[in-house]
Amino acid sequence: MAEQAVTASGGVVHSLLSAVGAHRLVSSVWGYVDSTIRWCWIPNWLPPWCPTSQIKLQTAEDMMLRCVHNTFSKQYVPISNGNHLWTLSLSSDHVKDKTPLVLLHGFGGGVGLWAQNLDALSQHRPVWALDLLGFGQSSRPLFPTDTQEAEDQFVESIEQWRVKVGLESMILLGHNLGGYLAVSYSIKYPDRVKHIVLVEPWGFPERPDTVEADRPIPVWIKALGAMFSPFNPLAGLRLVGPLGPTLVQTLRPDFKRKFSSIFNDNTVSDYIYHLNVQAPSGETAFKNMTIPYGWAKRPMLHRMDHLQPEIPITIIYGSRSSIDSNSGSSIKQMRPHSHVEIITIRGAGHYAYADQPEDFNHTVLQVCDKVD
């Protein structure tokens, strides 16, 4: 199984390869790798011909959030080393004393993708959403190349953020990479977490030894995979420069459909584009945390016994997702004396919160009702 986080971004490169003909690409690409493609993965470099900027990303996010009716505030929350985390918060006087719900997006995401959830979820408790370090409008520092050190930097940034905004404890909801980090954070700071909600989490199982035997991979694809392995997952999107926005619209029309009830234009695809062609930072860290085909180098299932049994977990999957839900069953078996609930949202894929927002919001509200 190839994890969705890499599938979505890697699809850009794979589709490009298919469009031009893989064999012709293999024979011609070596001549310009050093002079052109190599630049796509250098962390502090952004091709000037990519039609993006920080201002354009901010504008795209504002367009995403124009459908949110509840009052919300936006701020850069300072953390260590001069970095900051871009943060949205929604609260009102009648819910301010409830345990806040903190939303952690997945790989390549940002706070704007919660546009269909913020109003509903904030009616009963404060809601905070942040761009993870290295993503969205948050700082994009150079992460350590070591897998554990990169993960630790993500976790410490969340803890420093919590201290700065003054949250005593929280319900942590994480999608994809955000789910992985939610558990990693909860292992280190258990007293700060009252409930974990994992939405289509990435990085829990280890890569099975039978993956290639069950689904043989053509030699030419292996060759291309090896050739592109030094590059970041979204390097292909930067490589095509001004064609990028059209490429996102063409290759990921599903994002437009997910938000079709509130947008009838390219608002979502524009936001996705500007999120993912900024200087790679969290993207580079994520790459260093994976092995080929998107599996985690440090599978979270190996560490679930380090999570305090008192912390309840709810795991939400989409019925139409390609993510293997067996991890949820494994977690339940590993925590026989803990609360572990597995919920499937019918008709939803990997982006369950956007595919079926009403069902998702209702489900999360029911889960959160169990927390003061």
Side-chain angles (χ1 to χ4, degrees):
M1 175 194 71
E3 291 287 348
Q4 186 81 8
V6 170
T7 301
S9 55
V12 174
V13 175
H14 293 161
S15 297
L16 286 173
L17 298 180
S18 299
V20 301
H23 299 292
R24 181 162 57 88
L25 179 62
V26 171
S27 63
S28 62
V29 73
W30 297 106
Y32 64 83
V33 165
D34 286 335
S35 61
T36 303
I37 301 182
R38 179 184 297 181
W39 294 98
C40 294
W41 66 278
I42 295 178
N44 293 325
W45 185 87
L46 183 66
W49 61 315
C50 286
T52 192
S53 66
Q54 181 66 28
I55 293 176
K56 289 183 178 180
L57 171 56
Q58 182 177 352
T59 300
E61 181 190 286
D62 289 342
M63 294 295 288
M64 288 289 297
L65 296 175
R66 72 184 189 270
C67 68
V68 178
H69 301 295
N70 290 354
T71 301
F72 62 90
S73 63
K74 301 184 289 185
Q75 61 176 315
Y76 284 108
V77 176
I79 56 174
S80 63
N81 299 318
N83 294 318
H84 53 258
L85 298 185
W86 180 243
T87 303
L88 301 185
S89 59
L90 301 89
S91 184
S92 55
D93 289 340
H94 73 283
V95 300
K96 64 181 181 180
D97 295 328
K98 301 278 285 185
T99 301
L101 172 64
V102 175
L103 308 178
L104 305 179
H105 64 76
F107 175 80
V111 296
L113 293 181
W114 303 109
Q116 298 181 95
N117 316 110
L118 295 173
D119 280 333
L121 298 182
S122 62
Q123 289 179 5
H124 300 279
R125 67 183 60 245
V127 171
W128 297 76
L130 61 145
D131 283 344
L132 293 171
L133 186 65
F135 292 99
Q137 293 198 66
S138 291
S139 297
R140 293 176 176 250
L142 183 65
F143 277 78
T145 57
D146 179 78
T147 300
Q148 182 169 349
E149 291 179 5
E151 180 184 327
D152 289 344
Q153 185 167 346
F154 277 124
V155 168
E156 289 308 310
S157 70
I158 296 170
E159 170 61 4
Q160 292 166 14
W161 172 89
R162 182 201 64 80
V163 172
K164 200 69 178 180
V165 299
L167 302 184
E168 183 65 25
S169 60
M170 53 193 168
I171 301 168
L172 266 185
L173 184 153
H175 172 250
N176 187 267
L177 172 63
Y180 182 91
L181 296 177
V183 174
S184 183
Y185 174 90
S186 301
I187 290 173
K188 189 166 186 180
Y189 298 102
D191 294 339
R192 302 304 179 184
V193 181
K194 288 194 174 181
H195 200 115
I196 302 171
V197 183
L198 303 177
V199 183
E200 290 276 316
W202 167 85
F204 280 69
E206 63 181 346
R207 179 182 175 182
D209 295 333
T210 59
V211 66
E212 290 197 23
D214 294 342
R215 300 173 65 181
I217 301 172
V219 173
W220 67 268
I221 291 182
K222 291 182 180 180
L224 287 173
M227 182 177 68
F228 282 96
S229 62
F231 308 121
N232 278 324
L234 298 170
L237 190 58
R238 299 183 187 91
L239 177 64
V240 299
L243 296 178
T246 301
L247 197 63
V248 173
Q249 296 168 22
T250 303
L251 299 180
R252 295 307 305 265
D254 57 307
F255 275 113
K256 187 173 182 177
R257 291 194 298 270
K258 296 176 194 302
F259 292 83
S260 60
S261 65
I262 53 177
F263 303 122
N264 59 6
D265 54 15
N266 292 320
T267 293
V268 182
S269 55
D270 286 348
Y271 180 56
I272 295 293
Y273 173 75
H274 290 296
L275 277 174
N276 290 300
V277 292
Q278 307 297 316
S281 171
E283 174 190 343
T284 304
F286 177 80
K287 176 185 176 297
N288 291 332
M289 293 165 64
T290 65
I291 57 177
Y293 310 111
W295 300 87
K297 284 184 180 178
R298 303 181 71 231
M300 191 56 68
L301 285 181
H302 292 178
R303 291 177 275 162
M304 290 303 296
D305 59 339
H306 297 165
L307 181 65
Q308 287 191 4
E310 294 81 10
I311 299 179
I313 302 175
T314 299
I315 310 165
I316 299 175
Y317 290 104
S319 66
R320 302 176 62 184
S321 173
S322 60
I323 294 293
D324 190 346
S325 61
N326 288 336
S327 292
S329 301
S330 298
I331 293 172
K332 194 163 189 174
Q333 292 174 3
M334 295 169 68
R335 296 172 64 82
H337 304 297
S338 303
H339 175 87
V340 178
E341 183 180 16
I342 302 171
I343 300 173
T344 301
I345 295 183
R346 296 188 61 181
H350 181 60
Y351 295 87
Y353 59 88
D355 291 323
Q356 299 291 339
E358 290 187 8
D359 288 348
F360 177 84
N361 294 339
H362 178 70
T363 297
V364 173
L365 288 174
Q366 284 190 317
V367 170
C368 291
D369 279 345
K370 304 169 186 175
V371 183
D372 294 334

